[in-house]
Each structure stands twice: as C-alpha cells, then as structure tokens.
Amino acid sequence: MRLYSVAVTSLAVDAPVKWTDNLIAHHDIPEVRSRTRGVARGVSWAGLVRIALVRELHIALGCGVREAVALSDALLQSPAWNVSV
C-alpha cells in the first residue's frame, strides 16, 4: 500500500503542514500509519481523502476540527453519503 508523507498530504488538501500534523496527532484517523513518536507518519489514499473531507468541512462549513472529524467519519460510513446532524 502506498503511503504519503504529511507534507504531500498537506499539499494535496491545500492545508499548512502544521495543521495536518496537528490533525493527525490529536485525532484518530484510522488510515494513518506509524503514529508513534520518532517514526514518520504515512497516510494512505483513503486517509488523504478523509483528511481532505475534514479540511473542507472545517473551512467551507466553518465547523470545528473535532466536529469535522466526527462528521467525516459519519459521511464516509454512510452508503448514501448523507447524514443527519
């Protein structure tokens, strides 16, 4: 499985590297590998999509990052991509 660095992920989702790194460090993103200290993090394609969705929900809808993570999880688990808020 191909894994992307935090820098590449940040570039892809148009976010500062610090924002992406903080997101990964403080929230459970299941598609992120090597979350231990001293080991470079790797983001799978599914993780990149999830992080892009979190970023879009955070910026476009103005919701907090914590809420955007929860909402993205609900959206990605929903077969019809809809969710009641």
PDB file of all heavy atoms in Angstrom, residues 29-55:
ATOM      1  N   ILE A  29      -7.346   9.154  13.161  1.00  0.00           N
ATOM      2  CA  ILE A  29      -7.556   8.991  11.720  1.00  0.00           C
ATOM      3  C   ILE A  29      -7.093   7.564  11.408  1.00  0.00           C
ATOM      4  O   ILE A  29      -5.883   7.297  11.373  1.00  0.00           O
ATOM      5  CB  ILE A  29      -6.753  10.014  10.891  1.00  0.00           C
ATOM      6  CG1 ILE A  29      -6.983  11.450  11.382  1.00  0.00           C
ATOM      7  CG2 ILE A  29      -7.060   9.876   9.408  1.00  0.00           C
ATOM      8  CD1 ILE A  29      -8.353  12.005  11.170  1.00  0.00           C
ATOM      9  N   PRO A  30      -8.020   6.626  11.217  1.00  0.00           N
ATOM     10  CA  PRO A  30      -7.646   5.214  11.105  1.00  0.00           C
ATOM     11  C   PRO A  30      -6.703   4.893   9.947  1.00  0.00           C
ATOM     12  O   PRO A  30      -5.938   3.936  10.028  1.00  0.00           O
ATOM     13  CB  PRO A  30      -8.974   4.487  10.908  1.00  0.00           C
ATOM     14  CG  PRO A  30     -10.051   5.473  11.090  1.00  0.00           C
ATOM     15  CD  PRO A  30      -9.452   6.841  11.117  1.00  0.00           C
ATOM     16  N   GLU A  31      -6.725   5.660   8.911  1.00  0.00           N
ATOM     17  CA  GLU A  31      -5.907   5.358   7.728  1.00  0.00           C
ATOM     18  C   GLU A  31      -4.485   5.924   7.804  1.00  0.00           C
ATOM     19  O   GLU A  31      -3.756   5.885   6.834  1.00  0.00           O
ATOM     20  CB  GLU A  31      -6.595   5.893   6.465  1.00  0.00           C
ATOM     21  CG  GLU A  31      -7.959   5.314   6.205  1.00  0.00           C
ATOM     22  CD  GLU A  31      -9.082   6.073   6.893  1.00  0.00           C
ATOM     23  OE1 GLU A  31      -8.822   7.050   7.600  1.00  0.00           O
ATOM     24  OE2 GLU A  31     -10.237   5.667   6.714  1.00  0.00           O
ATOM     25  N   VAL A  32      -4.095   6.433   8.955  1.00  0.00           N
ATOM     26  CA  VAL A  32      -2.741   6.960   9.146  1.00  0.00           C
ATOM     27  C   VAL A  32      -1.907   5.894   9.839  1.00  0.00           C
ATOM     28  O   VAL A  32      -2.316   5.334  10.848  1.00  0.00           O
ATOM     29  CB  VAL A  32      -2.763   8.259   9.975  1.00  0.00           C
ATOM     30  CG1 VAL A  32      -1.356   8.729  10.277  1.00  0.00           C
ATOM     31  CG2 VAL A  32      -3.529   9.340   9.231  1.00  0.00           C
ATOM     32  N   ARG A  33      -0.736   5.614   9.286  1.00  0.00           N
ATOM     33  CA  ARG A  33       0.158   4.592   9.836  1.00  0.00           C
ATOM     34  C   ARG A  33       1.309   5.229  10.588  1.00  0.00           C
ATOM     35  O   ARG A  33       1.673   6.365  10.333  1.00  0.00           O
ATOM     36  CB  ARG A  33       0.735   3.732   8.703  1.00  0.00           C
ATOM     37  CG  ARG A  33      -0.291   3.036   7.873  1.00  0.00           C
ATOM     38  CD  ARG A  33      -0.773   1.792   8.593  1.00  0.00           C
ATOM     39  NE  ARG A  33      -1.942   1.234   7.965  1.00  0.00           N
ATOM     40  CZ  ARG A  33      -1.918   0.258   7.086  1.00  0.00           C
ATOM     41  NH1 ARG A  33      -0.797  -0.275   6.722  1.00  0.00           N
ATOM     42  NH2 ARG A  33      -3.044  -0.191   6.580  1.00  0.00           N
ATOM     43  N   SER A  34       1.894   4.484  11.480  1.00  0.00           N
ATOM     44  CA  SER A  34       3.101   4.878  12.229  1.00  0.00           C
ATOM     45  C   SER A  34       2.865   6.139  13.042  1.00  0.00           C
ATOM     46  O   SER A  34       3.528   7.148  12.857  1.00  0.00           O
ATOM     47  CB  SER A  34       4.285   5.083  11.282  1.00  0.00           C
ATOM     48  OG  SER A  34       4.536   3.926  10.559  1.00  0.00           O
ATOM     49  N   ARG A  35       1.950   6.051  13.955  1.00  0.00           N
ATOM     50  CA  ARG A  35       1.615   7.202  14.770  1.00  0.00           C
ATOM     51  C   ARG A  35       2.490   7.319  16.008  1.00  0.00           C
ATOM     52  O   ARG A  35       2.262   8.165  16.842  1.00  0.00           O
ATOM     53  CB  ARG A  35       0.153   7.128  15.183  1.00  0.00           C
ATOM     54  CG  ARG A  35      -0.778   7.252  14.003  1.00  0.00           C
ATOM     55  CD  ARG A  35      -2.179   7.209  14.459  1.00  0.00           C
ATOM     56  NE  ARG A  35      -2.340   8.094  15.602  1.00  0.00           N
ATOM     57  CZ  ARG A  35      -3.374   8.880  15.802  1.00  0.00           C
ATOM     58  NH1 ARG A  35      -4.343   8.881  14.942  1.00  0.00           N
ATOM     59  NH2 ARG A  35      -3.448   9.641  16.869  1.00  0.00           N
ATOM     60  N   THR A  36       3.490   6.465  16.177  1.00  0.00           N
ATOM     61  CA  THR A  36       4.332   6.524  17.362  1.00  0.00           C
ATOM     62  C   THR A  36       5.395   7.611  17.212  1.00  0.00           C
ATOM     63  O   THR A  36       5.737   8.020  16.098  1.00  0.00           O
ATOM     64  CB  THR A  36       5.022   5.176  17.618  1.00  0.00           C
ATOM     65  OG1 THR A  36       5.798   4.820  16.468  1.00  0.00           O
ATOM     66  CG2 THR A  36       3.999   4.088  17.879  1.00  0.00           C
ATOM     67  N   ARG A  37       5.950   8.029  18.330  1.00  0.00           N
ATOM     68  CA  ARG A  37       6.970   9.079  18.306  1.00  0.00           C
ATOM     69  C   ARG A  37       8.229   8.592  17.611  1.00  0.00           C
ATOM     70  O   ARG A  37       8.640   7.458  17.782  1.00  0.00           O
ATOM     71  CB  ARG A  37       7.322   9.487  19.723  1.00  0.00           C
ATOM     72  CG  ARG A  37       6.346  10.461  20.304  1.00  0.00           C
ATOM     73  CD  ARG A  37       6.821  10.884  21.647  1.00  0.00           C
ATOM     74  NE  ARG A  37       7.775  11.976  21.500  1.00  0.00           N
ATOM     75  CZ  ARG A  37       7.994  12.866  22.423  1.00  0.00           C
ATOM     76  NH1 ARG A  37       7.371  12.794  23.561  1.00  0.00           N
ATOM     77  NH2 ARG A  37       8.878  13.827  22.220  1.00  0.00           N
ATOM     78  N   GLY A  38       8.835   9.463  16.847  1.00  0.00           N
ATOM     79  CA  GLY A  38      10.094   9.156  16.198  1.00  0.00           C
ATOM     80  C   GLY A  38       9.975   8.403  14.890  1.00  0.00           C
ATOM     81  O   GLY A  38      10.967   8.148  14.230  1.00  0.00           O
ATOM     82  N   VAL A  39       8.766   8.039  14.497  1.00  0.00           N
ATOM     83  CA  VAL A  39       8.554   7.311  13.248  1.00  0.00           C
ATOM     84  C   VAL A  39       7.733   8.200  12.321  1.00  0.00           C
ATOM     85  O   VAL A  39       6.719   8.766  12.728  1.00  0.00           O
ATOM     86  CB  VAL A  39       7.803   5.981  13.500  1.00  0.00           C
ATOM     87  CG1 VAL A  39       7.545   5.250  12.203  1.00  0.00           C
ATOM     88  CG2 VAL A  39       8.582   5.115  14.472  1.00  0.00           C
ATOM     89  N   ALA A  40       8.200   8.333  11.097  1.00  0.00           N
ATOM     90  CA  ALA A  40       7.484   9.177  10.134  1.00  0.00           C
ATOM     91  C   ALA A  40       6.083   8.631   9.897  1.00  0.00           C
ATOM     92  O   ALA A  40       5.890   7.424   9.762  1.00  0.00           O
ATOM     93  CB  ALA A  40       8.249   9.234   8.823  1.00  0.00           C
ATOM     94  N   ARG A  41       5.117   9.530   9.869  1.00  0.00           N
ATOM     95  CA  ARG A  41       3.734   9.115   9.626  1.00  0.00           C
ATOM     96  C   ARG A  41       3.526   8.872   8.147  1.00  0.00           C
ATOM     97  O   ARG A  41       4.089   9.558   7.311  1.00  0.00           O
ATOM     98  CB  ARG A  41       2.783  10.199  10.116  1.00  0.00           C
ATOM     99  CG  ARG A  41       2.822  10.381  11.597  1.00  0.00           C
ATOM    100  CD  ARG A  41       1.797  11.421  12.003  1.00  0.00           C
ATOM    101  NE  ARG A  41       1.754  11.517  13.449  1.00  0.00           N
ATOM    102  CZ  ARG A  41       2.160  12.573  14.125  1.00  0.00           C
ATOM    103  NH1 ARG A  41       2.623  13.618  13.488  1.00  0.00           N
ATOM    104  NH2 ARG A  41       2.086  12.597  15.430  1.00  0.00           N
ATOM    105  N   GLY A  42       2.669   7.926   7.853  1.00  0.00           N
ATOM    106  CA  GLY A  42       2.298   7.643   6.474  1.00  0.00           C
ATOM    107  C   GLY A  42       0.788   7.686   6.341  1.00  0.00           C
ATOM    108  O   GLY A  42       0.069   7.164   7.188  1.00  0.00           O
ATOM    109  N   VAL A  43       0.311   8.331   5.312  1.00  0.00           N
ATOM    110  CA  VAL A  43      -1.124   8.487   5.094  1.00  0.00           C
ATOM    111  C   VAL A  43      -1.505   7.716   3.839  1.00  0.00           C
ATOM    112  O   VAL A  43      -0.941   7.951   2.768  1.00  0.00           O
ATOM    113  CB  VAL A  43      -1.500   9.985   4.941  1.00  0.00           C
ATOM    114  CG1 VAL A  43      -2.986  10.153   4.717  1.00  0.00           C
ATOM    115  CG2 VAL A  43      -1.037  10.784   6.154  1.00  0.00           C
ATOM    116  N   SER A  44      -2.464   6.811   3.975  1.00  0.00           N
ATOM    117  CA  SER A  44      -2.936   6.052   2.809  1.00  0.00           C
ATOM    118  C   SER A  44      -3.828   6.942   1.953  1.00  0.00           C
ATOM    119  O   SER A  44      -4.202   8.055   2.344  1.00  0.00           O
ATOM    120  CB  SER A  44      -3.722   4.823   3.277  1.00  0.00           C
ATOM    121  OG  SER A  44      -4.938   5.233   3.900  1.00  0.00           O
ATOM    122  N   TRP A  45      -4.193   6.429   0.772  1.00  0.00           N
ATOM    123  CA  TRP A  45      -5.080   7.188  -0.119  1.00  0.00           C
ATOM    124  C   TRP A  45      -6.403   7.471   0.580  1.00  0.00           C
ATOM    125  O   TRP A  45      -6.924   8.588   0.522  1.00  0.00           O
ATOM    126  CB  TRP A  45      -5.309   6.438  -1.429  1.00  0.00           C
ATOM    127  CG  TRP A  45      -6.303   7.127  -2.304  1.00  0.00           C
ATOM    128  CD1 TRP A  45      -7.584   6.752  -2.546  1.00  0.00           C
ATOM    129  CD2 TRP A  45      -6.106   8.346  -3.029  1.00  0.00           C
ATOM    130  NE1 TRP A  45      -8.195   7.651  -3.371  1.00  0.00           N
ATOM    131  CE2 TRP A  45      -7.311   8.650  -3.687  1.00  0.00           C
ATOM    132  CE3 TRP A  45      -5.031   9.204  -3.176  1.00  0.00           C
ATOM    133  CZ2 TRP A  45      -7.471   9.771  -4.482  1.00  0.00           C
ATOM    134  CZ3 TRP A  45      -5.198  10.331  -3.977  1.00  0.00           C
ATOM    135  CH2 TRP A  45      -6.402  10.597  -4.627  1.00  0.00           C
ATOM    136  N   ALA A  46      -6.962   6.467   1.267  1.00  0.00           N
ATOM    137  CA  ALA A  46      -8.224   6.661   1.995  1.00  0.00           C
ATOM    138  C   ALA A  46      -8.055   7.711   3.086  1.00  0.00           C
ATOM    139  O   ALA A  46      -8.967   8.512   3.336  1.00  0.00           O
ATOM    140  CB  ALA A  46      -8.699   5.334   2.587  1.00  0.00           C
ATOM    141  N   GLY A  47      -6.901   7.735   3.726  1.00  0.00           N
ATOM    142  CA  GLY A  47      -6.628   8.751   4.739  1.00  0.00           C
ATOM    143  C   GLY A  47      -6.534  10.134   4.139  1.00  0.00           C
ATOM    144  O   GLY A  47      -7.002  11.115   4.727  1.00  0.00           O
ATOM    145  N   LEU A  48      -5.928  10.226   2.977  1.00  0.00           N
ATOM    146  CA  LEU A  48      -5.832  11.508   2.284  1.00  0.00           C
ATOM    147  C   LEU A  48      -7.228  12.031   1.946  1.00  0.00           C
ATOM    148  O   LEU A  48      -7.519  13.210   2.139  1.00  0.00           O
ATOM    149  CB  LEU A  48      -4.987  11.354   1.023  1.00  0.00           C
ATOM    150  CG  LEU A  48      -4.462  12.643   0.427  1.00  0.00           C
ATOM    151  CD1 LEU A  48      -3.095  12.392  -0.197  1.00  0.00           C
ATOM    152  CD2 LEU A  48      -5.396  13.204  -0.579  1.00  0.00           C
ATOM    153  N   VAL A  49      -8.100  11.146   1.482  1.00  0.00           N
ATOM    154  CA  VAL A  49      -9.473  11.540   1.168  1.00  0.00           C
ATOM    155  C   VAL A  49     -10.190  12.004   2.432  1.00  0.00           C
ATOM    156  O   VAL A  49     -10.876  13.032   2.437  1.00  0.00           O
ATOM    157  CB  VAL A  49     -10.235  10.374   0.488  1.00  0.00           C
ATOM    158  CG1 VAL A  49     -11.716  10.672   0.378  1.00  0.00           C
ATOM    159  CG2 VAL A  49      -9.639  10.088  -0.874  1.00  0.00           C
ATOM    160  N   ARG A  50     -10.005  11.251   3.533  1.00  0.00           N
ATOM    161  CA  ARG A  50     -10.645  11.631   4.801  1.00  0.00           C
ATOM    162  C   ARG A  50     -10.130  12.990   5.285  1.00  0.00           C
ATOM    163  O   ARG A  50     -10.905  13.841   5.710  1.00  0.00           O
ATOM    164  CB  ARG A  50     -10.395  10.573   5.856  1.00  0.00           C
ATOM    165  CG  ARG A  50     -11.071  10.877   7.194  1.00  0.00           C
ATOM    166  CD  ARG A  50     -10.752   9.836   8.242  1.00  0.00           C
ATOM    167  NE  ARG A  50     -11.220   8.536   7.885  1.00  0.00           N
ATOM    168  CZ  ARG A  50     -12.417   8.029   8.242  1.00  0.00           C
ATOM    169  NH1 ARG A  50     -13.223   8.757   8.978  1.00  0.00           N
ATOM    170  NH2 ARG A  50     -12.765   6.821   7.871  1.00  0.00           N
ATOM    171  N   ILE A  51      -8.831  13.211   5.218  1.00  0.00           N
ATOM    172  CA  ILE A  51      -8.250  14.476   5.669  1.00  0.00           C
ATOM    173  C   ILE A  51      -8.732  15.623   4.781  1.00  0.00           C
ATOM    174  O   ILE A  51      -9.022  16.717   5.275  1.00  0.00           O
ATOM    175  CB  ILE A  51      -6.711  14.384   5.723  1.00  0.00           C
ATOM    176  CG1 ILE A  51      -6.305  13.429   6.859  1.00  0.00           C
ATOM    177  CG2 ILE A  51      -6.080  15.753   5.900  1.00  0.00           C
ATOM    178  CD1 ILE A  51      -4.840  13.061   6.876  1.00  0.00           C
ATOM    179  N   ALA A  52      -8.858  15.389   3.477  1.00  0.00           N
ATOM    180  CA  ALA A  52      -9.389  16.418   2.574  1.00  0.00           C
ATOM    181  C   ALA A  52     -10.833  16.755   2.932  1.00  0.00           C
ATOM    182  O   ALA A  52     -11.224  17.926   2.917  1.00  0.00           O
ATOM    183  CB  ALA A  52      -9.292  15.941   1.123  1.00  0.00           C
ATOM    184  N   LEU A  53     -11.611  15.747   3.274  1.00  0.00           N
ATOM    185  CA  LEU A  53     -13.004  15.975   3.672  1.00  0.00           C
ATOM    186  C   LEU A  53     -13.061  16.761   4.976  1.00  0.00           C
ATOM    187  O   LEU A  53     -13.846  17.702   5.101  1.00  0.00           O
ATOM    188  CB  LEU A  53     -13.739  14.643   3.800  1.00  0.00           C
ATOM    189  CG  LEU A  53     -15.208  14.696   4.198  1.00  0.00           C
ATOM    190  CD1 LEU A  53     -16.017  15.544   3.221  1.00  0.00           C
ATOM    191  CD2 LEU A  53     -15.775  13.287   4.288  1.00  0.00           C
ATOM    192  N   VAL A  54     -12.237  16.396   5.936  1.00  0.00           N
ATOM    193  CA  VAL A  54     -12.180  17.129   7.209  1.00  0.00           C
ATOM    194  C   VAL A  54     -11.808  18.587   6.943  1.00  0.00           C
ATOM    195  O   VAL A  54     -12.432  19.506   7.492  1.00  0.00           O
ATOM    196  CB  VAL A  54     -11.170  16.480   8.186  1.00  0.00           C
ATOM    197  CG1 VAL A  54     -10.912  17.381   9.381  1.00  0.00           C
ATOM    198  CG2 VAL A  54     -11.656  15.114   8.636  1.00  0.00           C
ATOM    199  N   ARG A  55     -10.818  18.802   6.117  1.00  0.00           N
ATOM    200  CA  ARG A  55     -10.374  20.168   5.802  1.00  0.00           C
ATOM    201  C   ARG A  55     -11.499  20.968   5.152  1.00  0.00           C
ATOM    202  O   ARG A  55     -11.744  22.120   5.500  1.00  0.00           O
ATOM    203  CB  ARG A  55      -9.151  20.116   4.872  1.00  0.00           C
ATOM    204  CG  ARG A  55      -8.624  21.452   4.459  1.00  0.00           C
ATOM    205  CD  ARG A  55      -7.853  22.134   5.533  1.00  0.00           C
ATOM    206  NE  ARG A  55      -7.272  23.385   5.023  1.00  0.00           N
ATOM    207  CZ  ARG A  55      -6.829  24.328   5.788  1.00  0.00           C
ATOM    208  NH1 ARG A  55      -6.842  24.187   7.090  1.00  0.00           N
ATOM    209  NH2 ARG A  55      -6.337  25.418   5.268  1.00  0.00           N
TER     210      ARG A  55
END
